[in-house]
Amino acid sequence: MTCGRQNQRRAGLALAAAALLLAGCGQSAETKGADGAKDGAKDGAKGGAAAGASASAPSSAKASVAPLGPGEVRVGGEVAKPYSVTLADLRKLPQASVEVKFTSAKGEQRHTYQGVPLHDVLKTAEPRFDAAKKNGQLRGFVSATGGGDYRAVFAWAEIDPGFAKSQVLLAVSEDGVAFDDAAGPRLVVPQDTKGGRYVSELNQLWVGVVDPVVDGAK
């Protein structure tokens, strides 16, 4: 009976030791698992931050626009080939001349301007009008911005020789006197009776279409 009890006791101690060993292994695995999860979370956070920084970098790059040089005009908007043009560039292109009369704050003005048709300058940028729509170009407009954030808007039909009787010019000279290169060209609108759209120190021409505004209106 004594030997039997000793054997039972030894077996019980062996089972208890095995249970403690298994419990220790389980706790160690849980600890390692928790530590791994923490490390994974840290790595994930670092990776997410890096990915966020990487994703924001191109956006910042796209948002930054190179500053314009003196007298430079940026042509953009809904066009396939945005570009910029200077007075020196305009002087190399075929010229047109027009005599105009309009009223301004200084009274009646009479001048002779020489320059390049606005339609020719914008056509080079290849406006993206919807060819699937009848006369899709008639949905277009042009915003002209000059010195002091002065801005005027034109319907595309006003500058397209296929519709308009007169030509809107990017003038390079007035009454035979060339504009200063740093001042840029002047927009000349022969059909206007007032000089409000004769935009001086022109620096931006932006082509757009009215569809997004009209179709999204309530």
Side-chain angles (χ1 to χ4, degrees), residues 19-96:
L20 289 173
L21 180 61
L22 289 174
C25 290
Q27 289 177 353
S28 177
E30 285 181 10
T31 303
K32 290 180 180 179
D35 292 340
K38 290 178 182 178
D39 293 340
K42 291 179 181 178
D43 293 340
K46 291 179 181 178
S54 176
S56 62
S59 299
S60 301
K62 289 180 181 178
S64 61
V65 179
L68 289 170
E72 189 175 11
V73 181
R74 179 177 289 123
V75 183
E78 292 298 322
V79 297
K81 297 179 179 179
Y83 74 109
S84 62
V85 63
T86 64
L87 266 176
D89 297 326
L90 292 172
R91 292 191 186 103
K92 298 175 184 178
L93 300 176
Q95 303 288 300

Side-chain angles (χ1 to χ4, degrees), residues 172-190:
V172 299
S173 68
E174 179 186 75
D175 299 327
V177 179
F179 291 134
D180 185 87
D181 283 352
R186 184 181 190 186
L187 210 59
V188 173
V189 194

Side-chain angles (χ1 to χ4, degrees), residues 76-80 126-143 153-157 205-217:
E78 292 298 322
V79 297
E126 299 183 7
R128 292 188 294 225
F129 299 132
D130 192 346
K133 292 182 171 63
K134 183 179 180 180
N135 288 329
Q137 70 270 36
L138 297 184
R139 300 165 181 252
F141 65 90
V142 179
S143 171
V153 176
F154 299 80
W156 184 263
L205 292 166
W206 194 91
V207 180
V209 291
V210 300
D211 292 23
V213 178
V214 176
D215 295 342

